[in-house]
Amino acid sequence: MEPEDLRGLFLFEKLDEGQLRWLSERGRLEERAAGADVYREGEPATCFFVLLSGSVAMSQVLHGDDVEVSRTDQRGVYSGATQAYLGDRVEQVYKNSLRAVSDAVFFVLPADEFATAVRTWFPMALHLLEGLFFGYRAANSLVNERERLLALGSLSAGLTHELNNPAAAAVRATEALRDRVAGMRHKLALIADGRLDGSRLHQLVELQDTAVKQAASAPSLSVMETSDAEDELSDWLDERGVANAWDIAPTLVAGGVGVPWLATVADTVGDTYLDSAVRWLAYAIDTELLMGEIDDAVTRVSDLVGAAKKYSQLDRAPQQTVDVHELLDATLTMLRAKIPPGIKIVKEYDRTLPEIPAYGAELNQVWTNLIDNAVDAMGTTGTLTVRSWAEDDRRLLVEIGDTGAGIAPEIRPRIFEPFFTTKGVGEGTGLGLDISYRIVVNKHHGDIRVDSRPGDTRFTVCLPMTDEEAGGGEERAEGGTEGAGSAPEGAGSA
């Protein structure tokens, strides 16, 4: 291509004669027939392409499909090895695919020649570009880490609060249990002082065993049913001279004890020992109920620790086959303290879905960001819906829906931009959706879709079900996707 013809391209119009001649000697013209590939995403980036005539379409692979991202017939637009000047400091592969829509002609410059021209002719610009590229990547990494630390701090505070409740309940129940056991020993001494024959004492111990078993499986009563049962027991005990019957009756009712069973106790020990026997049995029932509370509290602590372990994926390799539903449940558990009581959580899981290859801890970060945003959008009341289903037996989809105000159409195109946020100052960094997008799209080779209207906003995460669909799970280069230059004032991205 003649030097003067090169000057007619906006990319080269400010170069001097010697530079244009250098390009002319090292570049070449190449033609592509309509429908032919110029280059394919992921191939080694060997050439820098400038469109001279015809039209081209640029596409990227998203969850296994080639998705067209731009189309142009503007003379002078460029693409290809636009990061060649960075050398081996970044992976030199094509970040997208370029296809000729019509018969097209290109000025093609080998990548190493393009890198030499940039380094030699524009040293100051090279330093600026390198500074911008690596500076942005470093700053982005630091900000992302800070975003993760802030999220971790918030989750840790919520987890501490959640753990404190069952731990405090276990401590209270243990203290009460100590008092009940001491009281039970005292009442047993009064009963077994030699005046109650051995056979009746043996029957009383059997009744105690029965009472403990009843307490462990006592039915739940409504407030009205409980009140009526307590009144009936109090009256029966008062009639037989049992002191403070009103204090004993609630424990007996909670343990499933009724008047017929107490009548059996009275027949066994007689009226003389009825007061001590009833209190001894009440202590036994209360002890069983308290041990149940301790068991529930300890189980709750164990469940929370298990949820935290699943959430952080501390015991897992970075990439594993994971059950998405387990990850979602762990995230909901970790966020429970942040979800107001007025927000109803609805789970619509397809439990037949298989486990998928994924980075579990990072997917949990995606669920955290989407659920946290949904809760913020609803305020104190609404419905949070979490759904899962399969698409074409190739993709697993997870939908996070809320009944908030929705996303305004004018800002919807910007929601995945770094640092863009609609929250007040100090309430958000604007990185949650950007991080989520890069985790899903760049790392898992999936996709995130959003559909929003007032009262119904849905973020849908699409994930490949197999390693082949996921493309091996390798993360693409930092800094977003790379597009072809389209105009002198905004052509190309480095």
Side-chain angles (χ1 to χ4, degrees), residues 357-392:
Y359 297 84
E362 298 197 32
L363 278 186
N364 280 339
Q365 189 175 7
V366 174
W367 312 142
T368 299
N369 292 333
L370 296 181
I371 292 172
D372 192 43
N373 285 347
V375 171
D376 284 342
M378 290 185 285
T380 58
T381 59
T383 300
L384 175 69
T385 304
V386 184
R387 296 179 59 222
S388 67
W389 72 97
E391 185 179 90
D392 301 332

Side-chain angles (χ1 to χ4, degrees), residues 80-94:
T82 55
Q83 291 182 350
Y85 63 88
L86 295 172
D88 58 7
R89 287 174 291 178
V90 298
E91 187 181 16
Q92 294 295 333
V93 296
Y94 293 121

Side-chain angles (χ1 to χ4, degrees), residues 66-137:
D66 243 2
V67 179
E68 185 174 312
V69 294
S70 67
R71 181 177 292 217
T72 182
D73 60 0
Q74 181 181 352
R75 176 180 166 83
V77 296
Y78 56 89
S79 187
T82 55
Q83 291 182 350
Y85 63 88
L86 295 172
D88 58 7
R89 287 174 291 178
V90 298
E91 187 181 16
Q92 294 295 333
V93 296
Y94 293 121
K95 304 303 189 295
N96 45 57
S97 297
L98 195 66
R99 176 176 55 86
V101 177
S102 64
D103 292 345
V105 179
F106 300 88
F107 174 71
V108 181
L109 191 64
D112 55 348
E113 301 287 6
F114 171 70
T116 299
V118 174
R119 294 188 190 118
T120 305
W121 299 344
F122 313 107
M124 181 177 178
L126 177 64
H127 290 309
L128 290 173
L129 288 172
E130 288 179 336
L132 285 172
F133 181 85
F134 292 109
Y136 171 79
R137 187 161 68 174

